[in-house]
Amino acid sequence: MKYAIRYYSKSGNSEKLANAISEVLDVPAYDISHELSEDVEILFFGSGVYGCALDPAVIKFISNIDVNIGEFVNFSTTGIMESNYNLIKDLLDNTSINLSENEFHCPGSFVGMNKDRPNEVDELNIKDFVNKYFI
């Protein structure tokens, strides 16, 4: 199986989860400054919610994907919202990229809320998520 991991993280929350996925798959996790250069069967993509929206850099990255992706797997951390799944879904609806129904979300620390999240338990949970659905 050909995997790739990309993330956008202002506070390091999504990066923590990306690195946990990387440990499971033995595939490097890169931030979105690293464009996808080849087709992948599964792209794990992580980001948060900024002002109740996706960051413009996330929109640009996804809009500029020019390789084939078998399945786009969303993972996210947010301070207040449940997840960014619907925001990602709306963006991908304008592409040929298939969004997995399986997603991973956990709270992320944000201005005093959700202190120390994601934590070790969240990292174990995302590893279990990857093993359960994608290996």
Side-chain angles (χ1 to χ4, degrees):
M1 188 76 65
K2 179 88 175 158
Y3 301 102
I5 306 165
R6 295 296 185 276
Y7 65 90
Y8 179 78
S9 187
K10 287 185 177 182
S11 61
N13 294 335
S14 296
E15 182 178 13
K16 277 185 184 178
L17 297 181
N19 288 332
I21 295 169
S22 175
E23 289 177 22
V24 173
L25 299 177
D26 196 28
V27 171
Y30 295 115
D31 68 34
I32 61 173
S33 69
H34 296 85
E35 296 178 3
L36 293 167
S37 59
E38 58 188 6
D39 296 349
V40 295
E41 292 173 78
I42 298 179
L43 170 62
F44 290 89
F45 185 84
S47 67
V49 176
Y50 306 95
C52 296
L54 296 172
D55 190 277
V58 169
I59 295 168
K60 181 179 178 185
F61 175 84
I62 291 173
S63 298
N64 290 333
I65 291 175
D66 64 355
V67 298
N68 293 316
I69 297 173
E71 190 169 27
F72 186 107
V73 179
N74 187 62
F75 64 95
S76 65
T77 63
T78 57
I80 300 170
M81 296 176 66
E82 285 296 315
S83 97
N84 67 4
Y85 184 86
N86 288 330
L87 297 171
I88 294 289
K89 182 180 183 315
D90 289 346
L91 184 57
L92 290 178
D93 280 347
N94 299 319
T95 72
S96 62
I97 299 171
N98 177 43
L99 177 61
S100 175
E101 292 179 3
N102 297 306
E103 72 152 334
F104 182 87
H105 170 76
C106 73
S109 58
F110 175 70
V111 293
M113 294 181 290
N114 309 317
K115 188 173 174 20
D116 299 324
R117 301 288 299 271
N119 56 29
E120 290 179 13
V121 172
D122 298 317
E123 291 175 46
L124 288 172
N125 287 340
I126 199 166
K127 289 177 180 181
D128 288 344
F129 166 80
V130 171
N131 279 311
K132 179 178 179 180
Y133 293 109
F134 303 104
I135 294 182

